[in-house]
Amino acid sequence: MSGKFNVITGSKRSIHVQVARDIARGILSGDLAEGSIIPGEMALCEQFGISVLHFVKR
């Protein structure tokens, strides 16, 4: 699944919202096949080009 997501820059939306929307787009478009496993936090942060501190919503 590496490299399928866009690096997040220059948006007014919260980063966690952008990540969730990008994952949802991948599911709806079929890029993320049924039954595929979504990468963990660290892998997603690397793919999106963000810090884990921005990724985790508390």
Side-chain angles (χ1 to χ4, degrees), residues 2-22:
S2 170
K4 290 192 178 193
F5 297 115
N6 300 318
V7 174
I8 294 175
T9 58
S11 178
K12 294 180 182 179
R13 288 196 170 95
S14 299
I15 291 175
H16 68 279
V17 170
Q18 294 177 69
V19 170
R21 284 183 174 205
D22 208 21

Side-chain angles (χ1 to χ4, degrees), residues 4-57:
K4 290 192 178 193
F5 297 115
N6 300 318
V7 174
I8 294 175
T9 58
S11 178
K12 294 180 182 179
R13 288 196 170 95
S14 299
I15 291 175
H16 68 279
V17 170
Q18 294 177 69
V19 170
R21 284 183 174 205
D22 208 21
I23 291 170
R25 275 190 214 102
I27 293 168
L28 294 172
S29 70
D31 288 340
L32 292 173
E34 184 176 335
S36 63
I37 297 172
I38 296 173
E41 280 179 7
M42 295 304 291
L44 286 172
C45 288
E46 190 173 300
Q47 289 177 22
F48 282 101
I50 59 175
S51 165
V52 71
L53 298 175
H54 290 109
F55 182 75
V56 178
K57 173 73 175 160

